Amino acid sequence: MNNLPLQPLVWKDYGNGTASETRSALHEYDAWQTDNDTGWYVGYFDRRNPTGIKEATGFATIDEAKAWAWNHYNEKMRPHVKPMPTWIDASERLPEEDGLYLAYYPDQTHKQQIVFFSSNINRFNYFHDLVTHWQLLPNPPEGE
């Protein structure tokens, strides 16, 4: 499991202090106080299947209900969070393996190009001396 940060859940309160809602890319959460004011519920569902509404119960405060939703969100979203590619300074290090990389040339018309790096000669094949940064290419989509 990676440790990348998730976008925070932003709650919208209904104004009467008895209900609140939030949405993420894949989930929707509603927190509300029970009719007899004995506790809080969280209703939630996967937005890809909105008919499968589930409930979590037994929260003493709205903050407990929201904390439960945050933990659920973290658990369910974590597999979908991927790291952003990172530019690597070419003056600090070059790739270790032969292959295609995205190279950055600040002084060229086309500032970014996919180029081949050869570990035998420790150089990019195109304007090697002008490359200031490089990064790995992303994996192709699944099934490709």
Side-chain angles (χ1 to χ4, degrees), residues 77-132:
M77 289 297 292
R78 187 63 56 202
H80 303 285
V81 178
K82 305 295 183 215
M84 291 292 295
T86 303
W87 287 107
I88 299 166
D89 189 328
S91 67
E92 292 179 14
R93 74 178 173 102
L94 293 172
E96 296 174 6
E97 298 178 9
D98 289 353
L100 295 174
Y101 295 86
L102 182 60
Y104 183 72
Y105 307 87
D107 298 327
Q108 300 299 306
T109 303
H110 302 289
K111 297 187 180 307
Q112 300 177 39
Q113 291 188 5
I114 296 174
V115 297
F116 184 81
F117 180 82
S118 172
S119 60
N120 290 339
I121 60 172
N122 210 34
R123 293 179 64 89
F124 291 102
N125 67 337
Y126 184 69
F127 293 118
H128 175 81
D129 295 335
L130 300 178
V131 173
T132 62

Side-chain angles (χ1 to χ4, degrees), residues 17-52:
T18 61
S20 190
E21 71 176 10
T22 189
R23 292 181 174 97
S24 74
L26 295 180
H27 298 89
E28 188 167 323
Y29 300 93
D30 291 294
W32 70 93
Q33 197 167 22
T34 59
D35 292 336
N36 57 11
D37 296 334
T38 60
W40 289 82
Y41 286 93
V42 175
Y44 61 100
F45 61 88
D46 185 320
R47 296 177 80 181
R48 298 167 294 184
N49 179 19
T51 60

